[in-house]
């Protein structure tokens, strides 16, 4: 088997997660690692067992590299994705696709023009239970959707001393909690329900008006603490918490709440969809379980088991029932679909995976949410 040669750009939290997932697919070889300078690239490549260490421009000129994963801070996504497409390579970009809607529009058009495979890493679609909910809804088991409630809660920015580049708008964009984790929740909501958000009404809260920025480097989620003299106080202009009311194209309503300052909530996405036949509730911290609410019969509790799932969902399951699968498996399953397209050499007509167009969609919703908060009014998508 001739393996597809892949480069990964960026080695923060998510870059190594991409690498681990890629290595679990047999037709892929992570051949190169890119960082901001050669020294860091060599250090990280050695740590991760990758043969080639490169800077970005050098990687673009390497004819052996067929596909590139962009795992860098948000402000680099547009320029790097554009350069990869112009170099004739397939691209998988972390979300958000860009920090400005015009940049996302340009990337969608360029990707369409080149015909190259393009994907955005909305990997939460690839929990088997998420696709099971989608197919159950498509099969009529949910009925007409009455309302949707969702939340995505974390605590990694709970303390005033918690700091990351995502707190800086010039690197992350004008929104933080909504753009970072809310985008996953909103993408999953439209994906599972088949509905489109048509209007939003948002209210943001910045809990820590200032934060203590470390003068020494610390890695995301490391939990390391520095001395008081190792910090400087900086103003914060993006949201720690947001609540958004939603109107959907079927005329019904919903709401989402996202927070990065909820103590004890490490990475908890919950969605509850109320329909005319059933109610679905799913939580990412219990990803192998689905609660199905009923009015006239007993409630149901579905556990992940390929023998009980729809064929579309069962193909995302790597192990028998009772063997738990989680976050790392979502990227593995997404990349399996993306690289099936890369093996064919072009973007499918109707891709099963999230594309640049999906990235544009979430950026559009995010921009309208920011606008709504500023106006304190309903805004159409």
């Amino acid at each position: 088997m001739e393996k597809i040669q892949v480069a990964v750009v960026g080695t923060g939290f998510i870059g190594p997660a991409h690498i681990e997932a890629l290595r679990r697919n047999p037709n892929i070889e992570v051949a190169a690692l890119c960082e901001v300078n050669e020294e860091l690239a060599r250090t990280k490549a050695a740590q991760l067992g990758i043969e080639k260490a490169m800077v970005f421009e050098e990687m673009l000129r390497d004819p052996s590299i067929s596909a590139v994963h962009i795992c860098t801070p948000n402000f680099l996504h547009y320029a790097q994705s554009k350069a990869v497409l112009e170099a004739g390579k397939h691209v998988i970009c972390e979300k958000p696709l860009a920090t400005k809607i015009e940049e996302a529009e340009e990337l969608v058009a360029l990707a369409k023009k080149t015909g190259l495979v393009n994907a955005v890493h909305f990997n939460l679609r690839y929990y088997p239970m998420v696709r099971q909910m989608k197919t159950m809804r498509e099969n009529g088991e949910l009925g007409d959707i009455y309302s949707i409630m969702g939340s995505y809660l974390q605590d990694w920015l709970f303390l005033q001393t918690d700091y990351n580049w995502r707190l800086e708008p010039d690197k992350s964009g004008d929104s933080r909690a909504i753009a970072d984790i809310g985008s996953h929740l909103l993408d999953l909501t439209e994906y599972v329900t088949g509905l489109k958000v048509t209007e939003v009404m948002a209210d943001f809260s910045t809990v820590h008006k200032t934060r203590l920025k470390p003068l020494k480097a610390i890695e995301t989620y490391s939990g390391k603490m520095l001395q008081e003299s190792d910090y400087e106080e900086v103003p914060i202009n993006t949201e720690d918490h947001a609540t958004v009311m939603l109107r959907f194209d079927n005329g019904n309503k919903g709401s989402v709440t996202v927070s990065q300052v909820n103590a004890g909530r490490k990475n908890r996405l919950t969605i509850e969809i109320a329909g005319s036949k059933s109610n679905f509730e799913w939580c990412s911290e219990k990803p192998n379980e689905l609660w199905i609410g009923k009015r006239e019969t007993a409630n149901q509790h579905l556990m992940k088991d390929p023998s009980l799932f729809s064929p579309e969902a069962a193909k995302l399951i790597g192990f028998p029932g009772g063997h738990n699968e989680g976050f790392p498996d979502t990227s593995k399953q997404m990349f399996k679909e993306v690289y099936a397209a890369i093996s064919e050499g072009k973007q499918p007509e109707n891709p099963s995976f999230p594309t640049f167009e999906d990235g544009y969609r979430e950026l559009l919703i995010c921009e309208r949410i920011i606008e709504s908060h500023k106006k304190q009014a309903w805004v159409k998508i």
Side-chain angles (χ1 to χ4, degrees):
M1 179 188 299
E2 186 175 344
K3 294 189 175 184
I4 300 167
Q5 303 289 295
V6 177
V8 174
V9 187
T11 57
F13 158 68
I14 203 65
H18 278 239
I19 291 166
E20 190 273 340
L22 287 166
R23 284 173 166 164
R24 295 173 65 193
N25 285 286
N27 64 326
I28 302 167
E29 181 178 351
V30 183
L33 187 71
C34 298
E35 260 298 351
V36 291
N37 57 61
E38 290 182 6
E39 182 181 1
L40 183 58
R42 284 195 298 269
T43 299
K44 292 292 186 177
Q47 290 174 354
L48 295 164
I50 297 171
E51 184 178 347
K52 295 179 182 178
M54 299 177 167
V55 293
F56 185 75
E57 292 74 16
E58 181 186 3
M59 178 274 296
L60 292 177
R61 296 191 296 269
D62 188 334
S64 69
I65 301 297
S66 299
V68 179
H69 287 241
I70 305 297
C71 302
T72 51
N74 300 355
F75 75 102
L76 295 170
H77 292 180
Y78 159 70
Q80 290 182 337
S81 294
K82 181 179 179 181
V84 170
L85 289 171
E86 289 176 339
K89 303 178 190 298
H90 309 288
V91 59
I92 298 88
C93 184
E94 262 303 320
K95 53 82 199 159
L97 178 59
T99 57
K100 296 182 176 64
I101 196 72
E102 300 81 10
E103 294 174 345
E105 287 175 339
E106 184 183 344
L107 288 175
V108 169
L110 179 60
K112 192 171 291 188
K113 180 181 176 182
T114 64
L116 293 163
V117 175
N118 58 92
V120 176
H121 192 231
F122 285 119
N123 58 305
L124 302 193
R125 292 186 183 191
Y126 284 82
Y127 281 107
M129 199 64 76
V130 168
R131 190 166 289 186
Q132 178 68 11
M133 284 193 290
K134 178 179 184 290
T135 56
M136 289 173 71
R137 186 267 304 166
E138 290 171 341
N139 293 336
E141 295 178 55
L142 186 60
D144 295 330
I145 295 173
Y146 290 162
S147 68
I148 302 161
M149 295 182 293
S151 66
Y152 201 152
L153 310 177
Q154 298 177 330
D155 73 355
W156 70 286
L157 292 173
F158 178 71
L159 302 173
Q160 190 184 20
T161 51
D162 291 327
Y163 202 86
N164 181 271
W165 60 261
R166 289 177 177 84
L167 291 154
E168 300 172 5
D170 62 329
K171 295 184 177 67
S172 66
D174 294 332
S175 169
R176 175 168 32 97
I178 283 290
D180 186 21
I181 57 178
S183 58
H184 272 300
L185 176 56
L186 290 161
D187 176 75
L188 189 146
T189 296
E190 291 194 334
Y191 176 72
V192 171
T193 65
L195 301 178
K196 292 294 183 184
V197 177
T198 58
E199 291 183 82
V200 294
M201 173 66 167
D203 199 19
F204 291 179
S205 175
T206 303
V207 174
H208 297 295
K209 308 296 190 217
T210 64
R211 285 182 181 264
L212 300 180
K213 180 179 181 179
L215 300 172
K216 298 178 180 178
I218 54 175
E219 292 186 2
T220 304
Y221 306 126
S222 67
K224 295 176 183 176
M225 295 296 291
L226 304 177
Q227 301 300 314
E228 187 175 343
S229 60
D230 293 323
Y231 294 96
E232 64 172 336
E233 190 170 7
V234 298
I236 298 299
N237 300 307
T238 53
E239 76 280 7
D240 291 312
H241 177 281
T243 297
V244 187
M245 292 191 292
L246 309 168
R247 291 173 176 164
F248 294 96
D249 58 359
N250 73 342
N252 284 327
K253 314 294 172 59
S255 66
V256 296
T257 297
V258 299
S259 174
Q260 295 176 319
V261 290
N262 274 47
R265 295 302 189 195
K266 304 305 175 185
N267 192 54
R268 182 184 177 89
L269 183 154
T270 303
I271 187 167
E272 184 159 341
I273 309 167
S276 60
K277 293 183 180 179
S278 301
N279 190 48
F280 293 170
E281 183 199 31
W282 178 79
C283 174
S284 67
E285 290 186 347
K286 298 181 290 182
N288 297 285
E289 305 174 24
L290 175 66
W291 182 83
I292 304 171
K294 296 290 185 179
R295 168 64 191 272
E296 298 169 311
T297 60
N299 296 334
Q300 299 171 16
H301 192 200
L302 178 63
M303 301 293 288
K304 186 215 74 175
D305 186 334
S307 67
L308 301 175
F309 273 31
S310 67
E312 296 89 347
K315 66 183 181 182
L316 300 184
I317 299 175
F319 300 94
H323 297 75
N324 285 336
E325 293 172 75
F327 180 83
D329 302 285
T330 62
S331 296
K332 168 195 165 186
Q333 297 295 347
M334 176 178 164
F335 296 158
K336 185 188 297 183
E337 291 188 353
V338 172
Y339 278 86
I342 289 174
S343 295
E344 297 296 321
K346 62 180 181 179
Q347 187 83 339
E349 196 167 310
N350 295 298
S352 57
F353 51 84
T355 67
F356 278 15
E357 289 187 353
D358 296 296
Y360 167 79
R361 170 71 182 170
E362 290 314 312
L363 197 62
L364 176 64
I365 295 174
C366 181
E367 288 214 350
R368 297 297 182 263
I369 288 172
I370 295 169
E371 181 185 348
S372 171
H373 167 67
K374 289 177 178 176
K375 291 180 175 179
Q376 289 291 285
W378 283 96
V379 173
K380 293 183 183 295
I381 301 297

